[in-house]
Amino acid sequence: MHSSTDSSPTAPGLDLDRPVPLRQLVYLPEADEVTIGSPETDTYAVFPADGAELVRMLAEGLTPREAAERYQTVHGETVDIADLVEALVELDLVRSDGEKAGPAAPVRWQRLGQVVFSRPALVGYGLVTALAVAEMVRVPELVPRVDNLFFSSYYTLVVLMLFIGQVPLLALHEAFHALAGRRLGLRSRLSIGRRLVYLVLETSLDGLVSVPRRQRYLPIMAGMIADALAIAVLTLIADATRGTNGTVASLCLAMAYATALRLAWQGFFYLRTDIYVLLGTVLGCVNLHAAATDVLRNAVRRTIGRPPLDLSVHHPVDRKVARWYAWLMLVGYVFTLTMFAGVVVPTAYRLLHDMWLRLTGQASPAGRLDSLALMVLSLAQTVAVVVLAARERRAAAQSA
C-alpha cells in the first residue's frame, strides 16, 4: 500500500486534482480489513484498513492529491494514490465519463424471501422435519435406503424419473439460497457447475461479503434446509400413500433417498460444500481449503523426506484453522470411500449385472431397449461433464 512518494506516475487519464466519481459504496469492517463494494455492480473486494480510509476520503469528495496529503499528515507516510484509484477502476467502483449517479435497481423477490425465512416459516419447517423423523422411527420402511432407487424394473424410467424429479428439488435448493440472500437485499446469479463427474446448479451471492457475518449464516445454510424439508415432505407423502398408491409412495421414497445423498454430500469436507463455506464464515477464514490442502501435502512430504511447503503464504486465521480442518478433510475422504462402497458400488453392480443379462440373455425386446437407452443416457451425462470441464479449463487459460 505504501510507497516512497505520492507523486508516482499516474494511471492514464487520471487527474490528481479532480474528484473521483465513485459509485455508491458499502463498507464492512472486520478485524484489520474492510470489505468495500457497490450494490450497483455487485462488485466487492477486501481492503486493508488504511486503504479503506483512503477510499472513504475519495468518497467524501476529496481529490486524489488531497486524500494523499491528508493521509500523509495523519499517518506520516506517503501513499501511491494512483495505484489505489486504478484498483478502484478495475473493480468497477468508479463511474465512467457521462454515467449518471443513481440508486441501485431494486432487488426482486425480496419480500418473498422475507416471508419464506420468517420465524413462523422456520418453525414450520422444523415441525415438518421432526414429524417425518418420528414417522421413520415408527415405520422403518420409510428410512432412506439404496433399494428405494429401484422402484421400477425399467431402469431408464428410474433414471429419467429421478432426473426429472430432482430438477425441481435442485432448483428448490438454489432458490432457498437465493431467497435467503434476497431478503437481505442481495442479488444472486444461477449457473451450471461441476463437482467431480456430476453436473450441479450453483447460486452466486457475491454481495454476501458486504453484510455482517451473522447475517450470512442463513443464506449459506438455506440449501441444506431446503433438502431436509424436501426429504421430510416426500417421506410424509410416501407414508400417506403407501397403503393406497404404491407407485406414488415408491417414487417419493426414491426421490427422498436421492435428496438424502445430496445432503450427505455436505460431509465431503475436501470440497467447497455449504458446510465448508459455513465453517469458513464462522471462523473468519479467507481460503481455508488451500491452507488445509497444503497442511495435508506437508504431512505427505515429511513422510517421503521432501521439504515442506511454505504455509506463511496463507492468511494467519487459515493457518490456525487448517491444523485441525486438514484432518476433517481426511474424514471427508473416508466418508466418500464409505459412500462409494455402500452406495455407488452396489447400485452400479445391480445396474450393470441386469443390463448384461438383458443384452446377452433371453430378455424381452423392451428389456433390451431399456438397457440400450440407459447406456445412451449415461454416455450423454459423461459427454456433458467433459464439455463443461473443457470450457472451465479454456476460461481459466484465457484469464491467466
Side-chain angles (χ1 to χ4, degrees):
M1 187 73 216
H2 300 120
S3 67
S4 58
T5 175
D6 63 354
S7 58
S8 58
T10 61
L14 174 62
D15 185 349
L16 294 179
D17 297 308
R18 176 186 175 188
V20 179
L22 293 175
R23 300 184 183 277
Q24 175 190 352
L25 300 180
V26 294
Y27 304 84
L28 179 65
E30 285 191 314
D32 57 348
E33 297 176 329
V34 181
T35 298
I36 302 177
S38 172
E40 298 178 37
T41 59
D42 210 24
T43 305
Y44 304 87
V46 178
F47 287 75
D50 57 348
E53 182 182 351
L54 279 165
V55 174
R56 289 182 184 275
M57 293 180 189
L58 296 175
E60 291 170 359
L62 271 66
T63 67
R65 192 184 305 278
E66 290 171 340
E69 291 173 351
R70 178 183 292 185
Y71 184 92
Q72 184 175 7
T73 300
V74 173
H75 297 279
E77 296 179 314
T78 56
V79 65
D80 189 344
I81 194 67
D83 184 62
L84 174 64
V85 175
E86 184 177 358
L88 295 173
V89 171
E90 291 178 354
L91 291 169
D92 198 16
L93 300 181
V94 178
R95 301 184 190 283
S96 57
D97 292 337
E99 184 179 358
K100 295 182 179 180
V107 176
R108 299 178 62 188
W109 311 114
Q110 184 171 3
R111 178 57 183 162
L112 178 60
Q114 292 170 346
V115 172
V116 170
F117 290 99
S118 63
R119 183 166 297 178
L122 293 174
V123 171
Y125 303 155
L127 291 176
V128 170
T129 303
L131 179 59
V133 172
E135 282 300 289
M136 291 181 192
V137 173
R138 189 180 70 87
V139 185
E141 290 78 8
L142 297 175
V143 177
R145 53 172 55 86
V146 175
D147 291 342
N148 290 344
L149 293 176
F150 300 97
F151 59 87
S152 171
S153 59
Y154 292 102
Y155 294 154
T156 303
L157 178 62
V158 170
V159 172
L160 286 176
M161 290 303 295
L162 287 176
F163 174 77
I164 295 172
Q166 284 297 304
V167 167
L169 294 178
L170 283 168
L172 178 67
H173 177 105
E174 300 305 328
F176 263 49
H177 279 305
L179 288 174
R182 288 183 177 238
R183 89 188 213 287
L184 300 175
L186 305 177
R187 292 181 177 80
S188 59
R189 297 190 308 275
L190 182 65
S191 60
I192 299 177
R194 177 176 57 89
R195 292 291 185 272
L196 299 179
V197 296
Y198 302 102
L199 297 177
V200 296
L201 297 176
E202 297 176 324
T203 298
S204 299
L205 286 168
D206 295 337
L208 201 60
V209 299
S210 67
V211 300
R213 190 178 300 176
R214 281 191 170 185
Q215 294 184 15
R216 304 176 201 172
Y217 301 155
L218 184 56
I220 294 171
M221 297 173 58
M224 291 184 285
I225 293 174
D227 290 341
L229 182 61
I231 295 170
V233 171
L234 289 168
T235 300
L236 292 176
I237 293 175
D239 185 39
T241 59
R242 60 193 176 93
T244 58
N245 193 326
T247 301
V248 172
S250 297
L251 182 57
C252 286
L253 289 176
M255 290 194 295
Y257 179 74
T259 306
L261 289 180
R262 192 169 67 248
L263 187 57
W265 186 303
Q266 301 298 333
F268 296 174
F269 298 108
Y270 54 89
L271 298 176
R272 291 178 174 86
T273 62
D274 291 346
I275 289 182
Y276 163 80
V277 175
L278 180 63
L279 281 174
T281 302
V282 171
L283 299 172
C285 298
V286 177
N287 191 347
L288 176 59
H289 183 274
T293 299
D294 282 351
V295 168
L296 288 179
R297 287 175 177 171
N298 278 349
V300 175
R301 293 171 76 91
R302 283 193 296 269
T303 302
I304 62 179
R306 297 187 62 183
L309 299 172
D310 182 13
L311 298 181
S312 65
V313 299
H314 299 292
H315 193 279
V317 175
D318 290 343
R319 294 200 304 270
K320 181 179 179 180
V321 176
R323 296 171 186 170
W324 58 265
Y325 188 82
W327 304 109
L328 199 57
M329 291 177 69
L330 286 180
V331 172
Y333 284 116
V334 173
F335 182 47
T336 301
L337 293 176
T338 302
M339 293 283 290
F340 182 81
V343 177
V344 177
V345 172
T347 303
Y349 174 80
R350 179 169 175 175
L351 288 173
L352 294 174
H353 178 264
D354 290 357
M355 286 171 58
W356 175 258
L357 291 180
R358 292 177 181 181
L359 292 174
T360 60
Q362 300 297 322
S364 65
R368 292 184 179 180
L369 181 61
D370 175 59
S371 297
L372 289 173
L374 183 58
M375 292 174 62
V376 172
L377 287 175
S378 301
L379 181 62
Q381 177 178 341
T382 303
V383 170
V385 170
V386 171
V387 170
L388 187 59
R391 288 182 178 178
E392 290 177 354
R393 291 182 180 178
R394 186 160 53 247
Q398 292 175 351
S399 62

